[in-house]
């Protein structure tokens, strides 16, 4: 799945036309779904109205071709419930709910929040474990227990970058919850371990290439040379501040997504040059078209 970037025009407003183009790039590249208002999409820098507009736009452009996952977590339970009910009404297939990211919660507070949001909607819910930002790591056994207790909690996106933790989710609790890994460079390990999929911000840039690796791995016919060709570019993006790096790469590839929203700043000149060079050498058809 593609964790969609949020393109901004020169005046700082959401560029709906380019957002629709990003959806089409991913769908045409063969991805199995798209994620609106995820971390790559800079949801925390947006107003509630902007987040609702993005969900509506992505659902409209996807037009049933692939499922849309809407990230509806928020600082307050009330806001998360409101965003979740809106996304459900707008036609999202799944809600992805990150835990509040301002004040780290106790585990009891976290579970109460997740249960409340899940109980407010009818569609499936995906937990979003993002301990680096939220300060709360959802333990696999806790996740499994919660999925057994709350019927519509069916998925988890684990962005702990810990394959041992993901493995426990997959092998100990796969009967009640499907695990997606949210760390692009772990694609091979995650799928080989039995994850349901990977949610990748770099799929904005190279959806068809990552889908090809995914399909080949599932078919038992992986050409590791293709992964080795893509990996340096992916690693360069993931080694830099991620949102900014994805946007630099897309801009170089001819998809004008603008820069990040403040307080995020653009990348330094050396990192920008390195990523630009790797886009040109790894995906020459894109830079040539640009």
């Amino acid at each position: 799945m593609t964790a969609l970037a949020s393109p901004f025009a020169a005046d700082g407003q959401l560029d709906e036309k380019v957002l629709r183009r990003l959806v089409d790039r991913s769908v045409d590249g063969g991805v199995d779904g798209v994620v609106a208002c995820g971390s790559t999409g800079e949801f925390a820098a947006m107003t509630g109205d902007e987040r609702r507009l993005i969900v509506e736009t992505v659902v409209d452009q996807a037009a049933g071709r692939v499922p849309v996952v809407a990230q509806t977590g928020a600082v307050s339970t009330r806001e998360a419930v409101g965003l979740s009910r809106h996304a459900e009404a707008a036609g999202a297939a799944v809600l992805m709910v990150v835990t509040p990211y301002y004040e780290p919660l106790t585990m009891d507070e976290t579970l109460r929040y997740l249960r409340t949001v899940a109980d407010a909607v009818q569609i499936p819910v995906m937990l979003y474990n993002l301990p680096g930002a939220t300060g709360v790591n959802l333990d696999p056994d806790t996740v499994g227990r919660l999925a057994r207790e709350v019927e519509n909690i069916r998925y988890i996106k684990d962005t702990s970058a810990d394959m041992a933790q993901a493995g426990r989710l997959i092998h100990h609790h796969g009967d009640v919850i499907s695990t997606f890994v949210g760390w692009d460079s772990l694609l091979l390990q995650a799928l080989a371990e039995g994850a349901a999929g990977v949610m990748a911000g770099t799929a904005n840039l190279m959806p068809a290439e990552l889908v090809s690796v995914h399909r080949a791995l599932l078919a038992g016919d992986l050409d590791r040379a293709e992964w080795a060709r893509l990996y340096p570019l992916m690693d360069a993006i993931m080694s830099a501040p991620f949102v900014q790096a994805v946007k630099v790469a897309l801009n170089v590839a001819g998809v004008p997504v603008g820069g990040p929203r403040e307080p995020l700043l653009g990348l330094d000149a050396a990192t920008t040059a390195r990523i630009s060079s790797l886009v040109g050498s790894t995906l020459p058809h894109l830079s040539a078209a640009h």
Side-chain angles (χ1 to χ4, degrees):
M1 289 191 179
T2 302
L4 292 167
S6 294
F8 298 119
D11 62 0
Q13 299 304 305
L14 179 71
D15 192 326
E16 293 181 49
K17 182 178 179 180
V18 177
L19 178 59
R20 291 178 182 276
R21 182 179 172 187
L22 283 175
V23 173
D24 285 344
R25 276 176 60 84
S26 283
V27 174
D28 293 345
V31 302
D32 297 315
V34 292
V35 182
C37 295
S39 300
T40 306
E42 302 176 71
F43 75 90
M46 296 180 188
T47 66
D49 285 344
E50 287 175 320
R51 292 178 66 178
R52 285 185 281 271
L53 175 60
I54 286 177
V55 170
E56 291 169 5
T57 302
V58 171
V59 169
D60 180 67
Q61 191 65 25
R65 293 176 292 169
V66 296
V68 173
V69 178
Q71 199 294 110
T72 55
V75 174
S76 75
T77 302
R78 176 177 292 184
E79 184 181 10
V81 167
L83 290 168
S84 298
R85 287 176 170 163
H86 168 268
E88 180 178 35
V94 176
L95 303 179
M96 183 167 74
V97 183
V98 72
T99 55
Y101 38 89
Y102 175 71
E103 181 70 24
L105 304 183
T106 67
M107 189 53 65
D108 285 345
E109 290 169 333
T110 299
L111 296 179
R112 179 182 178 88
Y113 163 85
L114 293 171
R115 286 192 181 98
T116 300
V117 176
D119 286 344
V121 296
Q122 301 299 314
I123 61 176
V125 169
M126 174 181 289
L127 308 178
Y128 185 5
N129 188 37
L130 187 64
T134 65
V136 177
N137 187 27
L138 296 175
D139 173 80
D141 291 337
T142 300
V143 168
R145 185 169 64 252
L146 186 61
R148 288 176 173 85
E149 294 172 356
V150 183
E151 183 178 0
N152 63 331
I153 292 180
R154 300 181 190 171
Y155 310 101
I156 182 168
K157 176 185 177 182
D158 185 71
T159 310
S160 66
D162 183 345
M163 274 308 305
Q165 175 164 300
R168 293 196 298 275
L169 284 165
I170 293 163
H171 298 298
H172 293 177
H173 304 290
D175 59 324
V176 291
I177 197 160
S178 296
T179 297
F180 290 78
V181 168
W183 203 264
D184 302 36
S185 58
L186 292 178
L187 187 148
L188 287 188
Q189 297 98 309
L191 296 175
E193 195 68 47
V198 173
M199 291 186 173
T202 52
N204 286 280
L205 176 67
M206 44 187 177
E209 289 79 5
L210 294 185
V211 166
S212 177
V213 171
H214 184 179
R215 300 288 188 264
L217 180 62
L218 294 180
D221 188 31
L222 177 65
D223 179 359
R224 290 188 178 273
E226 175 67 3
W227 178 248
R229 182 179 71 84
L230 299 175
Y231 188 86
L233 172 57
M234 179 180 289
D235 184 57
I237 291 172
M238 297 196 69
S239 298
F242 188 71
V243 169
Q244 296 95 311
V246 168
K247 288 196 161 183
V248 164
L250 282 166
N251 288 325
V252 170
V255 184
V257 293
R261 270 202 171 161
E262 293 184 344
L264 297 182
L265 300 176
L267 299 180
D268 62 79
T271 305
T272 297
R274 179 166 180 255
I275 291 173
S276 299
S277 176
L278 283 167
V279 170
S281 61
T282 307
L283 307 168
H285 59 292
L286 294 181
S287 54
H290 179 42

